[in-house]
């Protein structure tokens, strides 16, 4: 049985590697989105664009909501675990 699973598993090894790398990248992106320094820089950039007049107040509010909304959203892995529990209630 070990030889059979090894023979079948070898062609799937690159796919497993790609999946593993994508999970690492996803965790890094989520950490970057939630990093307080990064959030502050993005909010300051929106404020600066508003002061310069390159965006209107409505657009600034939408961008600020998008930035702060990313902080409030649960991580993708947490959301996948929480959604079934919420639907069972």
């Amino acid at each position: 049985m070990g030889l059979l699973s090894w023979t079948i598993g070898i062609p799937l090894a690159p796919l497993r590697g790609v999946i593993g790398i994508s999970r690492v990248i996803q965790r890094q992106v989520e950490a970057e989105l939630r990093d307080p320094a990064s959030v502050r820089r993005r909010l300051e950039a929106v404020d600066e664009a508003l002061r310069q007049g390159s965006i209107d107040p409505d657009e600034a509010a939408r961008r600020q909501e998008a930035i702060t909304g990313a902080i409030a959203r649960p991580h993708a892995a947490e959301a996948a675990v929480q959604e079934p529990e919420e639907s069972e209630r």
Side-chain angles (χ1 to χ4, degrees):
M1 185 69 179
L3 182 60
L4 180 62
S5 62
W6 180 79
T7 306
I8 294 172
I10 290 295
L12 297 177
L15 179 62
R16 289 184 189 138
V18 169
I19 291 170
I21 290 171
S22 65
R23 287 181 180 157
V24 169
I25 292 171
Q26 180 181 7
R27 282 193 300 265
Q28 185 65 30
V29 167
E30 287 177 354
E32 175 76 21
L33 286 174
R34 296 173 188 277
D35 179 39
S38 174
V39 170
R40 184 176 178 183
R41 281 191 303 270
R42 289 183 286 159
L43 288 173
E44 288 173 352
V46 170
D47 287 341
E48 182 63 28
L50 181 61
R51 271 186 257 129
Q52 291 178 354
S54 59
I55 59 173
D56 62 2
D58 292 334
E59 178 64 22
R62 279 192 294 271
R63 289 183 185 186
Q64 289 171 345
E65 180 65 31
I67 292 168
T68 56
I71 297 169
R73 281 187 227 118
H75 292 289
E78 293 172 4
V81 172
Q82 291 174 356
E83 287 177 14
E85 294 176 358
E86 291 175 2
S87 64
E88 292 175 358
R89 294 179 187 175

